[in-house]
């Protein structure tokens, strides 16, 4: 594809303990979240902490599903993005 000028990049991630701000009352609201706009060449720059892997709770339905499929409850380190621009479908990672 081609770079898109003025696209909105909405991102969020967990803290160094693998917790999102909505899971951890000690974090300020909107911690490790941001909204950026691409420049005229479709570029953006994000400054954040290095993502950390984390474990999923295994005591509910997700744990039951993971155990039934013989999978571990660990998520790799990652960030989430929703990228959107007028005239284009949004992309969520």
């Amino acid at each position: 594809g081609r770079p898109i000028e003025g696209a909105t990049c909405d991102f969020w991630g967990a803290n160094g303990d693998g917790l999102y701000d909505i899971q951890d009352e000690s974090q300020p609201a909107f911690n490790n979240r941001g909204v950026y706009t691409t420049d005229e060449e479709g570029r953006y720059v994000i400054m954040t902490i290095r993502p950390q892997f984390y474990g999923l709770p295994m005591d509910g339905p997700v744990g039951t599903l993971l155990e039934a499929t013989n999978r571990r409850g660990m998520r790799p380190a990652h960030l989430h993005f929703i990228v959107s621009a007028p005239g284009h479908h949004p992309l969520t990672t």
Side-chain angles (χ1 to χ4, degrees), residues 6-25:
T8 300
C9 300
D10 184 349
F11 95 96
W12 65 99
N15 69 4
D17 293 325
L19 296 173
Y20 295 93
D21 61 331
I22 60 172
Q23 297 172 298
D24 180 5
E25 293 180 4

Side-chain angles (χ1 to χ4, degrees), residues 4-90:
I4 300 172
E5 178 182 356
T8 300
C9 300
D10 184 349
F11 95 96
W12 65 99
N15 69 4
D17 293 325
L19 296 173
Y20 295 93
D21 61 331
I22 60 172
Q23 297 172 298
D24 180 5
E25 293 180 4
S26 70
Q27 293 186 54
F30 302 104
N31 194 38
N32 296 321
R33 296 174 181 267
V35 178
Y36 297 84
T37 303
T38 60
D39 68 11
E40 62 280 350
E41 294 184 26
R43 299 175 303 191
Y44 62 94
V45 175
I46 293 175
M47 302 254 330
T48 185
I49 65 166
R50 183 178 181 186
Q52 175 71 357
F53 67 89
Y54 60 89
L56 297 170
M58 297 297 286
D59 59 347
V62 172
T64 302
L65 176 64
L66 290 172
E67 288 175 2
T69 57
N70 198 30
R71 296 181 63 193
R72 296 183 182 168
M74 296 302 292
R75 297 279 324 261
H78 63 280
L79 294 173
H80 299 274
F81 287 87
I82 300 175
V83 182
S84 58
H88 298 274
H89 294 288

